[in-house]
Amino acid sequence: MPQKRKIIVAVTGASGSIYARLLCQALAKCEQIEETAVIFTDNGNKVARFEDTVEWDVSDKFILYNNNDMFSAPASGSAGFDSMVIIPCSMGMVGRISNGISNDLVSRAADVILKERGKLILVTREAPLNTIHLRNMTALSECGAIICPASPSFYSKPNNIEELCMTIVERVISLLGIEYPHYRWDKREKL
């Protein structure tokens, strides 16, 4: 039987909260997931309410943590979380994590995942990027983080925004090493 997974999903104030909602909905269906910690930054919560009016499905696999609670489980390596996805990930959060500034639960949890050699996936949302952004992402990549820009693909011919956003969500789930049905490129397909 596969090992049960404990994952952290963090939502920052970058545009694209739909990605986080779709990821949580998908993770709720995955039998491999024992627990999903969900953390919103203050701006992440505001942007999510502004952009995405769809209610999030509540699952007993989700535990919502306050971003100011530095005594909660995601702040400690002993809690056993193996992976973290920051989706969407603002450049401000990238900068804080890459410079070791753990001033809230999201940045502390990311620091813990890195120090415990877990998998940290940053679904970045910014355009264009300046040199500081690129250097911060390079530093995190050198520390083992995976930078997965929210750049959806069109190969699957999505019919709506949710299907388009799912191309990124499915990529994130694949990067987490979780089995989930998704579009796969067929070498017989011709452009």
Side-chain angles (χ1 to χ4, degrees):
M1 188 167 127
Q3 178 183 355
K4 292 287 188 176
R5 306 280 303 278
K6 291 178 69 173
I7 295 173
I8 302 166
V9 174
V11 184
T12 72
S15 181
S17 59
I18 187 173
Y19 291 109
R21 175 175 55 81
L22 294 172
L23 176 63
C24 286
Q25 288 173 347
L27 292 176
K29 298 174 188 172
C30 297
E31 292 182 17
Q32 284 180 262
I33 307 298
E34 175 184 344
E35 178 184 330
T36 303
V38 179
I39 311 164
F40 283 84
T41 64
D42 290 342
N43 285 334
N45 195 17
K46 289 175 188 172
V47 171
R49 290 177 189 276
F50 177 78
E51 286 184 342
D52 193 7
T53 58
V54 177
E55 289 292 320
W56 287 41
D57 294 333
V58 176
S59 167
D60 59 356
K61 292 181 182 181
F62 298 155
I63 300 174
L64 186 62
Y65 289 95
N66 184 309
N67 192 39
N68 297 315
D69 185 2
M70 298 295 272
F71 291 96
S72 61
S76 174
S78 65
F81 289 98
D82 59 84
S83 302
M84 179 176 186
V85 181
I86 305 179
I87 181 169
C89 186
S90 68
M91 287 299 116
M93 185 59 68
V94 167
R96 287 187 290 283
I97 296 166
S98 70
N99 286 282
I101 300 169
S102 299
N103 61 348
D104 62 7
L105 186 57
V106 172
S107 55
R108 170 61 186 163
D111 188 36
V112 168
I113 291 293
L114 287 173
K115 79 178 183 71
E116 298 293 328
R117 303 297 191 252
K119 189 171 283 190
L120 177 61
I121 301 169
L122 308 175
V123 181
T124 55
R125 272 280 308 120
E126 190 66 72
L129 297 167
N130 68 40
T131 305
I132 295 168
H133 301 153
L134 295 168
R135 286 180 179 150
N136 287 334
M137 287 189 287
T138 299
L140 287 169
S141 180
E142 290 170 344
C143 292
I146 298 170
I147 309 298
C148 181
S151 301
S153 67
F154 297 86
Y155 299 122
S156 61
K157 300 181 181 167
N159 294 307
N160 54 50
I161 289 174
E162 288 205 358
E163 287 181 11
L164 182 65
C165 291
M166 278 303 292
T167 66
I168 290 299
V169 169
E170 290 165 356
R171 175 64 62 97
V172 168
I173 293 170
S174 179
L175 289 168
L176 286 168
I178 296 170
E179 288 295 320
Y180 189 82
H182 64 280
Y183 175 82
R184 293 188 190 275
W185 183 262
D186 185 339
K187 64 182 174 183
R188 295 172 293 180
E189 293 182 48
K190 302 286 185 200
L191 294 180

